[in-house]
Amino acid sequence: MMQSALLIVAAVLGAVVGSFLNVVILRLPKEGESIVFPASRCPHCLHPLAWYENIPLLSFLALRGRCRSCKAAISWQYPLVELAMAVLSVLVANRFGLAVESLLYFLFCAALLVIIFIDIHHQIIPDQISLPGIVIGFIGSFFVHTVSWQQSGLGILLGGGLLYAIAYGYYALTGRDGMGGGDIKLLAMIGAFLGWQSLLYVVFASSLVGSVAGVAAMFKQKKGGLTRIPFGPFLALAALSYLFLLEQINLLWRLYLTYTGLQ
C-alpha cells in the first residue's frame, strides 16, 4: 500500500512538474523572456489560462486539444511532456524510494527532458540547464550511494574531455563542426550525475542510435554529409536508459562476452 501510494504521488508530482517544464521548453530559448512571469497562456492568442485549463493531461483531454479562447490546436508536445515526466518520476520513485537519490535523479530527468525538446526544436542545449546541472550532480554525489564524488568529478572531466576530443578530431578531418559545445557540456553533466563509468555506454549507445537516425535524415533531407541532426536527445536518452536499465545492460554485456569467448 505504501509503495502504491508513493508511486501515485510520484506520478501526480511528475505531471505537475511536466506542465512547468513545458513553459521552460517554450520560453527558455527566447532571450529575455521569464519562465515564471507571466502565468501560463495560449501561445497563439496569449489568453491567460484559468486553473482548470492548466491541469496536467486532463485539461488537454477536456479541451479536446484546442484553446478555449481562440480554438487554435494545442500541440501534442504539452501532454507528451507531462506524461513523460510522470512516467520518469514513477521510475525514479520505484527504484530509489524515499531517499535523497530520488530527489537528485528527479531533477536529472527533468533537466534531460527539457534538453531533449529544446534541442529538437532549436538545436541548442541551454547553458542555463547543463552548467547548473554539472554543479548539482557533483554536489549531490556527496549525499547519495549510487555515485561517489570521485566518480562524479572524473565523470565531469572525462565527459567534457571525451566529446571535445571527438569534436576536435572531426573538425580536423573534415573542416566542419560536427558537434556543438552544448553536447560537450551535456555529457559532462551526465558524467556528474552517473559517474565516469557510465560514459562509455552513453557515448556508444547515443552514437549507434544517432547514426541510424542520421542515415534516415540523410535520405529524407537529401543533403548528404551536410545533414545535421541534434545529438543531445540521443545522449539524454542513453543516459536515461543507463539510469533505469543498468542491470539489463550489464547482463547483455556479460552475455556478449560469454558468446564471443572473451570471458
Side-chain angles (χ1 to χ4, degrees):
M1 289 292 293
M2 286 293 294
Q3 179 71 3
S4 298
L6 174 63
L7 297 183
I8 291 172
V9 171
V12 173
L13 176 62
V16 171
V17 171
S19 180
F20 172 70
L21 296 184
N22 274 316
V23 177
V24 177
I25 292 167
L26 179 66
R27 298 184 186 181
L28 189 60
K30 299 177 181 179
E31 187 174 350
E33 187 160 350
S34 170
I35 62 173
V36 179
F37 300 103
S40 297
R41 56 188 178 177
C42 172
H44 301 285
C45 67
L46 304 183
H47 162 70
L49 301 184
W51 67 267
Y52 51 84
E53 297 175 280
N54 209 25
I55 301 173
L57 297 173
L58 298 180
S59 291
F60 182 84
L61 296 175
L63 294 170
R64 298 182 179 180
R66 293 194 173 273
C67 172
R68 187 171 62 92
S69 177
C70 67
K71 307 303 180 184
I74 302 172
S75 171
W76 276 91
Q77 176 180 302
Y78 290 92
L80 178 60
V81 170
E82 292 165 355
L83 179 61
M85 193 60 217
V87 171
L88 290 172
S89 182
V90 168
L91 292 175
V92 168
N94 185 61
R95 178 172 179 187
F96 299 109
L98 291 173
V100 178
E101 284 85 352
S102 287
L103 175 59
L104 183 67
Y105 291 111
F106 180 85
L107 294 175
F108 182 54
C109 290
L112 291 180
L113 195 57
V114 169
I115 285 170
I116 287 171
F117 283 93
I118 288 181
D119 203 17
I120 288 174
H121 289 305
H122 304 281
Q123 295 197 1
I124 59 171
I125 298 175
D127 287 346
Q128 299 96 315
I129 301 293
S130 57
L131 294 183
I134 292 172
V135 176
I136 292 172
F138 182 66
I139 293 175
S141 67
F142 287 90
F143 302 95
V144 298
H145 301 290
T146 51
V147 60
S148 68
W149 69 266
Q150 296 96 333
Q151 291 171 333
S152 178
L154 198 55
I156 295 170
L157 295 176
L158 291 179
L162 181 60
L163 273 197
Y164 179 80
I166 294 173
Y168 181 81
Y170 182 86
Y171 180 80
L173 289 173
T174 65
R176 300 193 302 269
D177 291 324
M179 190 172 298
D183 297 321
I184 297 171
K185 297 167 192 172
L186 172 57
L187 191 60
M189 186 186 89
I190 291 170
F193 278 92
L194 301 180
W196 67 268
Q197 63 274 20
S198 68
L199 297 177
L200 183 60
Y201 166 79
V202 169
V203 171
F204 172 77
S206 59
S207 299
L208 180 62
V209 179
S211 297
V212 174
V215 171
M218 288 175 63
F219 281 104
K220 183 177 181 180
Q221 298 179 19
K222 298 180 180 179
K223 295 181 180 179
L226 297 178
T227 302
R228 295 181 63 88
I229 61 172
F231 190 54
F234 301 109
L235 287 171
L237 291 173
L240 290 172
S241 68
Y242 183 90
L243 177 62
F244 296 117
L245 300 174
L246 180 57
E247 292 181 3
Q248 291 84 346
I249 292 169
N250 286 334
L251 176 60
L252 289 175
W253 177 243
R254 288 194 296 270
L255 290 174
Y256 169 77
L257 292 178
T258 302
Y259 179 77
T260 56
L262 298 176
Q263 185 177 19

